[in-house]
Amino acid sequence: MATDNFDKLVDDLQNQIFEETKEAYGDVAFQRWLTPLYKGRIDLPDGYGRVTGSCGDTIEIFLRFENGKVQEASFETDGCGSSTICGSFTAELAIGKTPDDLADITGESILEILGGLPEEDRHCAFLAANALREALKNYMQRFHRES
Ligand code: FES
């Protein structure tokens, strides 16, 4: 019986945290936090970027190109929940893009697709955008030296 009560307490607490997170971050970001698509490393990526922000968190972006477009993209982070959400949307935005299109992905466009973030978490989107920029730079240096 005591175990049942404890389990219920844990469930209630978890539901409360979920509700508060959903309220603060919005449904789109919340769902992505629950299911962080595109998380994980790509072996031997064509483009790789790794940036650590002033908050101390690191976001990595992995890109694989085919026929001049991003065929596969993914991210890793050791950071906050927002860095996971932002890394995930950054990878999603990158898929199918040419290098020129990738250069147009900014912190603002990441925030726009996920419906915004609380003020104190907005920098996480800019960190993800910087990691993407580094991955693009890495790709261009390796495969487009002449440009
Ligand atoms: Fe550092 Fe979000 S607080 S990336």
Side-chain angles (χ1 to χ4, degrees):
M1 190 62 180
T3 311
D4 286 351
N5 285 341
F6 181 72
D7 287 348
K8 184 175 176 338
L9 180 68
V10 170
D11 282 351
D12 287 350
L13 267 176
Q14 191 175 47
N15 285 336
Q16 191 186 335
I17 290 167
F18 277 14
E19 281 311 312
E20 286 172 6
T21 307
K22 198 167 167 177
E23 175 103 348
Y25 290 82
D27 197 44
V28 173
F30 175 72
Q31 293 303 331
R32 189 57 65 96
W33 176 64
L34 288 180
T35 311
L37 304 176
Y38 313 109
K39 189 170 190 322
R41 299 173 171 277
I42 292 174
D43 286 336
L44 302 174
D46 298 320
Y48 169 71
R50 181 179 197 275
V51 175
T52 300
S54 54
C55 58
D57 296 336
T58 298
I59 299 182
E60 296 169 279
I61 295 288
F62 304 81
L63 301 173
R64 173 170 295 141
F65 283 77
E66 215 172 283
N67 299 324
K69 289 186 177 174
V70 176
Q71 173 75 15
E72 201 182 344
S74 71
F75 78 100
E76 274 293 349
T77 181
D78 62 2
C80 65
S82 291
S83 69
T84 295
I85 295 164
C86 292
S88 179
F89 276 110
T90 301
E92 181 170 299
L93 280 172
I95 292 169
K97 299 285 197 305
T98 63
D100 279 353
D101 295 337
L102 287 179
D104 291 338
I105 297 174
T106 63
E108 287 296 346
S109 52
I110 295 163
L111 286 167
E112 196 175 319
I113 192 177
L114 61 81
L117 283 175
E119 192 57 37
E120 64 274 18
D121 286 8
R122 286 173 54 87
H123 71 274
C124 314
F126 291 87
L127 189 60
N130 285 343
L132 176 63
R133 202 162 316 284
E134 286 302 310
L136 175 59
K137 201 162 94 187
N138 176 245
Y139 169 72
M140 295 305 280
Q141 283 168 348
R142 293 175 65 197
F143 296 98
H144 296 274
R145 279 183 177 277
E146 71 283 0
S147 42

